[in-house]
Amino acid sequence: MPVVDVKNLEGKKVGQMELADDVFAAPVNPHLLHETVRHYLARRRAGTHKTKQKSEVSGSGRKLWRQKGTGRARIGSIRSPLWRHGGTVHGPVPRSYEYSLPKKMILGALRSALSAKFADEKLTIVEEWKLETHKTKPFRQALDRIDGESKTILLVESGANLNLERASRNLEGVSLVPATAPEPYDLLRHDHLMLSREAAAKLSRALSTTRPEVPVEIEPAQAAPAGKASAAVETKAALKAKAGKRPTAKKEKAKAKPKGKKG
């Protein structure tokens, strides 16, 4: 299993962490990465482009001159697409460029991107993003202590961290994403990847195809007080006794109905 050093915000090694083989040491598939990046960029397109058709261009709709006898080309409208400032034929209209991609392809590309970062030694595990302040300057100094060579850094945190969000949003080249929504495009666009210990564990569990089954612990039911338990048992016994003594509706009707003579 791949082993990564765990560092604190001072840049010192505080331990090691084992990662899943099929997540951080999987074979890199360049074609899969290319397809997922195209899919991601297509979803980000606004699609608000628009050109005016013949009916939308300003101008009179009257015929400029008669059809024959002038020696000029026949024309029906000043808004004709053949004329300057006329309408546009088959121009772009607002639409969505989004298309579907199998979920297995996206997960496979995410494994390839994480494995590529680990293979290039551009992955760092941080013990925890515990910041005392939301100021940008001390956080920039902490990043330089951990890795001062990378120009662009992608930060991944597992939960809400207000100080981390505020301290990182004004830094050029630094982006913060939650552990539940990393994109292969973000991993490829940044030089270095920094994961918190909890985020790395969460990604290993979520993306691993051979993760072990987690045993479910069932807590034993709390015993009821002696008085209440005996009262409940007595109540059930009394209800059963009453139900056994009470005759059914059919039997009561049969007893009440007199027998008639045949013939």
Side-chain angles (χ1 to χ4, degrees):
M1 297 181 70
V3 180
V4 184
D5 294 337
V6 179
K7 297 182 179 181
N8 57 13
L9 294 180
E10 298 296 328
K12 298 179 181 179
K13 177 182 174 181
V14 294
Q16 290 184 332
M17 183 177 183
E18 290 185 352
L19 303 174
D21 283 331
D22 54 349
V23 178
F24 292 90
V28 180
N29 191 335
H31 174 70
L32 203 58
L33 292 172
H34 171 72
E35 289 296 329
T36 51
V37 168
R38 287 186 64 248
H39 173 255
Y40 177 76
L41 294 178
R43 287 190 294 127
R44 289 186 59 181
R45 293 187 66 173
T48 54
H49 38 42
K50 178 71 173 69
T51 56
K52 291 185 178 181
Q53 300 178 0
K54 181 179 177 180
S55 60
E56 298 171 334
V57 176
S58 62
S60 175
R62 73 179 183 88
K63 191 173 178 64
L64 298 181
W65 51 78
R66 59 184 182 175
Q67 182 81 352
K68 294 178 179 296
T70 61
R72 305 182 66 182
R74 50 195 174 186
I75 187 69
S77 172
I78 198 174
R79 298 178 294 176
S80 172
L82 302 177
W83 278 46
R84 184 168 177 265
H85 300 304
T88 303
V89 182
H90 304 303
V93 294
R95 71 182 184 91
S96 173
Y97 285 88
E98 185 176 355
Y99 61 93
S100 60
L101 198 67
K103 187 177 180 180
K104 288 185 177 180
M105 293 182 65
I106 299 175
L107 296 179
L110 194 55
R111 296 187 191 101
S112 293
L114 292 171
S115 301
K117 290 297 182 187
F118 175 77
D120 296 339
E121 297 182 354
K122 294 183 178 180
L123 187 148
T124 303
I125 304 296
V126 181
E127 186 177 14
E128 58 179 347
W129 295 112
K130 190 175 182 180
L131 305 178
E132 297 179 357
T133 178
H134 64 278
K135 298 293 184 179
T136 301
K137 185 176 180 179
F139 180 64
R140 177 76 264 184
Q141 294 172 352
L143 292 180
D144 291 339
R145 288 192 294 266
I146 298 173
D147 181 80
E149 299 178 356
S150 302
K151 294 183 179 180
T152 56
I153 302 174
L154 180 66
L155 310 175
V156 181
E157 176 64 308
S158 61
N161 192 333
L162 189 59
N163 284 344
L164 178 62
E165 181 181 351
R166 290 178 175 176
S168 62
R169 63 187 177 186
N170 288 332
L171 289 176
E172 184 179 1
V174 178
S175 302
L176 174 65
V177 295
T180 56
E183 291 285 346
Y185 175 78
D186 295 329
L187 294 170
L188 297 176
R189 193 168 63 93
H190 294 82
D191 295 336
H192 202 91
L193 174 64
M194 292 187 183
L195 303 166
S196 65
R197 183 196 291 267
E198 189 176 352
K202 184 176 290 188
L203 286 174
S204 295
R205 290 193 302 268
L207 298 177
S208 178
T209 57
T210 59
R211 55 177 181 249
E213 295 183 1
V214 180
V216 180
E217 297 181 359
I218 302 176
E219 296 182 358
Q222 296 181 357
K228 292 185 179 180
S230 58
V233 173
E234 290 177 1
T235 306
K236 289 183 180 179
L239 290 174
K240 285 184 179 180
K242 288 181 180 180
K245 292 180 180 179
R246 185 178 178 182
T248 59
K250 290 184 178 180
K251 289 182 179 179
E252 289 180 356
K253 288 183 179 180
K255 289 179 180 180
K257 186 178 180 180
K259 295 182 180 180
K261 294 181 179 181
K262 293 184 179 179

